[in-house]
Amino acid sequence: MTEVSALWMRRDLRLTDNRAMHEMQQWVETEEGRQWFLVFHLDPEFYSFSCPHHDYFFQNLEKFRKECDDQHIQLYFLHGTAEKAFAYLKEKVPGLTHLFFNEDEAPPAAYRDEQVKTEMQRRSVETHVYKDAHFHRSDEVKKKDGGLYSVYTPYYRAWRQLEKEQPYKCRLDLISSRQARPSLPQKAAYGKLSSYLKHYGETWKHTGEEDGHKRLETFVEEIAPTYHETNNALSQDGTSRLSAYLKTGRLSVRTIYQALSEQLEEGNPGAEAFVSELAWRDYYNMIHATHPELKNKELKEAYQNLPWEYDEKRLQTWKEGRTGYPVVDACMRQLNETGWMHNRGRMIAASFLTKDYLIDWREGERYFAERLIDYDPSSNAGGWQWAASTGTDAVPYFRVFSPVRQSERFDPQGDYIREHVPELQGVPKKYIHTPWKMDEQQQKEYNCILGQDYPEPEIDHSVQRKKAIEMFKGD
């Protein structure tokens, strides 16, 4: 009987440098009669709930399906719970003997993978699982005593010394000719994706694999050399803008690292600074894999019962970008308008919610999870715990971001603020960071009446800073 393997696509929507695809290809080549097919599982938890994060991913998925068509590769769809979906797959494809996919180490995806592996084993299907989304698995970067790191800086030093894999070659010409054509009904499964796509909101541009490579080329040539100088500037195109391509798997970390290899060999500080950002992804993946409750529970035991305030009105004000602090509002409006927020902005917005409004960091983490097109569960939760001072490698609780100081440092001319908060377009540099300091005559002159065109702050940062410190100290 002909052996057939399925290649299960997940957050690795690409036909180049795909580890599981490469390994499956090697398996197919080993014996003449072996065949394979491509499959994607649609989880009802995602297609039953619309938000920018899901919209973006599913539009990428549909684009990937069309890219597969262009290469004469059919992408089959499953739907329902993972366990039942793959049991159904085996029933419909009796000759299925192997399943290849790239791993997820962090929950809940890791739990899903274990369920599928157990179900496949029960049905005599071998599973082959590979590292792909990260440079190193959660247990690869270790201390000399064999333990895992809890602080980023020493983790990064050890991480940087480890060899990085080269991109994996995928021969589409070969594997496209060895496809199986299983009798796998698609009307109901693909109908779930098609129905979702008919009802999404904004249409996202540049979602193709080729778009990811073009952005990478632009970054390497124009931005990477000075990344260490520009990556915190809110008004500049000084970041990589590669995070969404990494999230969906349109680009692999190996491809990015290879593109930067020449600059890294030369010791370019910009390239080195960016690679350290990529290492954060590995670090938070390690933290999440070893601390499954990262999204829901403070890692520092001493802070697990902090008396966070819950003020629905203030939470909504923060979400809408109506706090009265211009840089915070600009950050939140950029998120709401574009599905993306500058990394410096994420720190500013998170610090404000937790340290100025004293609202539980989990509220912010959940909002970002819905709105960010580059949402990564591990990095997002890790970043929020960092900002809230509750994580393993967090900002000290007594170090509270001043929204005005952050604004003055990283948007000195106010260009970022004016771009995202149009009510303040006529306000000069002198008041752009602190519009509440304008008198009535100046408000009229600059066409920005406080309380009417733009809100006045409800809180005083200096007062709230003291409250936050007292909360952490337990006073």
Side-chain angles (χ1 to χ4, degrees):
M1 183 176 71
T2 300
E3 288 186 289
V4 177
S5 70
L7 175 58
W8 178 16
M9 306 300 291
R10 299 117 70 76
R11 55 169 175 169
D12 49 1
L13 304 179
R14 62 183 181 277
L15 297 172
T16 59
D17 187 17
N18 187 308
R19 175 72 184 278
M21 179 175 285
H22 171 82
E23 299 293 344
M24 184 279 301
Q25 170 191 308
Q26 301 285 91
W27 178 84
V28 168
E29 289 179 326
T30 302
E31 292 187 17
E32 185 65 30
R34 287 177 171 174
Q35 295 181 323
W36 74 287
F37 64 97
L38 197 62
V39 66
F40 186 93
H41 168 238
L42 291 161
D43 190 323
E45 181 179 343
F46 297 102
Y47 64 69
S48 61
F49 170 51
S50 177
C51 63
H53 165 214
H54 295 169
D55 294 351
Y56 182 78
F57 186 86
F58 283 134
Q59 288 180 48
N60 270 267
L61 178 58
E62 175 63 7
K63 180 73 171 180
F64 176 69
R65 184 191 67 80
K66 293 177 180 178
E67 292 167 352
C68 289
D69 283 347
D70 291 341
Q71 297 295 330
H72 308 291
I73 294 173
Q74 181 169 352
L75 176 61
Y76 292 87
F77 290 90
L78 301 172
H79 72 100
T81 65
E83 194 172 7
K84 291 182 178 179
F86 281 89
Y88 173 81
L89 180 67
K90 175 59 178 176
E91 291 173 4
K92 290 296 180 178
V93 189
L96 180 66
T97 57
H98 294 73
L99 176 67
F100 290 78
F101 62 91
N102 292 315
E103 72 178 347
D104 273 308
E105 292 189 280
Y111 302 149
R112 171 206 60 197
D113 291 358
E114 287 303 315
Q115 289 180 325
V116 170
K117 286 192 286 186
T118 299
E119 182 64 30
M120 292 290 93
Q121 183 178 16
R122 192 170 73 82
R123 294 173 180 271
S124 302
V125 176
E126 292 185 26
T127 55
H128 306 266
V129 188
Y130 304 95
K131 174 187 68 182
D132 182 77
H134 300 91
F135 289 102
H136 301 290
R137 297 186 78 258
S138 61
D139 58 357
E140 283 185 46
V141 185
K142 296 181 178 180
K143 301 177 184 177
K144 292 181 179 179
D145 64 5
L148 298 176
Y149 291 94
S150 61
V151 177
Y152 174 74
T153 301
Y155 172 90
Y156 177 63
R157 284 196 291 263
W159 181 96
R160 194 69 181 88
Q161 296 302 312
L162 297 178
E163 184 177 355
K164 304 298 181 280
E165 293 176 326
Q166 293 295 308
Y168 289 92
K169 294 182 180 180
C170 299
R171 294 184 53 191
L172 300 182
D173 57 336
L174 181 144
I175 60 176
S176 62
S177 66
R178 300 284 291 273
Q179 289 180 87
R181 298 294 178 182
S183 179
L184 192 60
Q186 290 294 284
K187 185 176 181 179
Y190 179 68
K192 300 294 183 182
L193 175 60
S194 181
S195 176
Y196 184 99
L197 293 172
K198 288 178 182 177
H199 299 96
Y200 62 70
E202 183 176 349
T203 298
W204 305 97
K205 298 179 181 179
H206 312 301
T207 58
E209 183 174 345
E210 183 179 354
D211 294 313
H213 284 274
K214 287 181 179 178
R215 178 59 194 181
L216 175 60
E217 182 178 349
T218 297
F219 172 66
V220 171
E221 294 179 357
E222 301 177 12
I223 301 172
T226 57
Y227 178 82
H228 60 300
E229 299 173 345
T230 63
N231 69 321
N232 276 309
L234 289 167
S235 62
Q236 294 186 36
D237 184 18
T239 62
S240 73
R241 290 294 186 114
L242 297 175
S243 57
Y245 296 112
L246 280 170
K247 156 64 185 178
T248 55
R250 305 308 249 151
L251 283 174
S252 80
V253 290
R254 295 176 297 271
T255 294
I256 294 173
Y257 194 87
Q258 184 186 58
L260 289 167
S261 60
E262 185 175 333
Q263 292 184 34
L264 291 171
E265 289 174 5
E266 295 172 351
N268 182 280
E272 287 287 352
F274 180 68
V275 166
S276 72
E277 298 291 343
L278 292 178
W280 274 103
R281 294 180 70 253
D282 280 20
Y283 175 75
Y284 280 137
N285 178 65
M286 179 269 292
I287 294 295
H288 200 180
T290 54
H291 298 80
E293 293 297 315
L294 180 68
K295 282 172 57 66
N296 301 304
K297 186 177 181 180
E298 290 85 355
L299 296 184
K300 289 185 177 178
E301 187 175 352
Y303 301 147
Q304 288 177 359
N305 294 298
L306 290 171
W308 297 107
E309 296 180 7
Y310 184 77
D311 186 318
E312 181 61 37
K313 180 176 178 293
R314 283 186 177 176
L315 177 60
Q316 193 61 32
T317 295
W318 175 82
K319 289 179 178 179
E320 294 175 358
R322 301 283 299 168
T323 69
Y325 281 87
V327 72
V328 176
D329 294 341
C331 292
M332 295 306 297
R333 294 191 198 187
Q334 180 183 41
L335 172 64
N336 294 330
E337 293 163 5
T338 71
W340 182 84
M341 189 193 296
H342 194 289
N343 188 58
R344 171 56 57 174
R346 300 183 198 204
M347 291 187 279
I348 293 170
S351 179
F352 188 87
L353 184 71
T354 57
K355 302 294 179 62
D356 285 271
Y357 276 177
L358 304 179
I359 291 176
D360 195 327
W361 61 271
R362 280 163 283 248
E363 295 290 342
E365 196 280 334
R366 292 177 191 128
Y367 190 67
F368 275 24
E370 294 179 7
R371 305 297 306 188
L372 286 170
I373 62 174
D374 63 1
Y375 170 69
D376 176 275
S378 304
S379 294
N380 193 55
W384 271 95
Q385 291 229 36
W386 181 89
S389 302
T390 62
T392 59
D393 189 19
V395 61
Y397 73 83
F398 51 80
R399 189 176 300 156
V400 180
F401 279 24
S402 162
V404 173
R405 179 63 180 136
Q406 290 288 311
S407 185
E408 292 172 339
R409 286 186 64 191
F410 301 113
D411 187 31
Q413 302 303 316
D415 295 334
Y416 175 77
I417 291 171
R418 294 188 188 90
E419 178 182 359
H420 297 289
V421 187
E423 308 96 296
L424 300 176
Q425 283 184 353
V427 176
K429 176 183 175 182
K430 182 178 180 179
Y431 297 112
I432 193 65
H433 310 292
T434 55
W436 56 86
K437 292 183 178 181
M438 295 188 295
D439 60 30
E440 291 185 8
Q441 182 58 40
Q442 290 167 329
Q443 292 176 40
K444 292 179 182 179
E445 180 182 352
Y446 304 136
N447 198 30
C448 181
I449 307 301
L450 296 180
Q452 177 179 312
D453 299 315
Y454 184 70
E456 294 185 81
E458 289 187 22
I459 55 95
D460 183 318
H461 170 71
S462 61
V463 173
Q464 295 302 102
R465 177 182 178 277
K466 292 178 182 178
K467 286 184 179 180
I469 292 173
E470 289 171 358
M471 180 178 75
F472 276 85
K473 290 171 64 178
D475 293 347

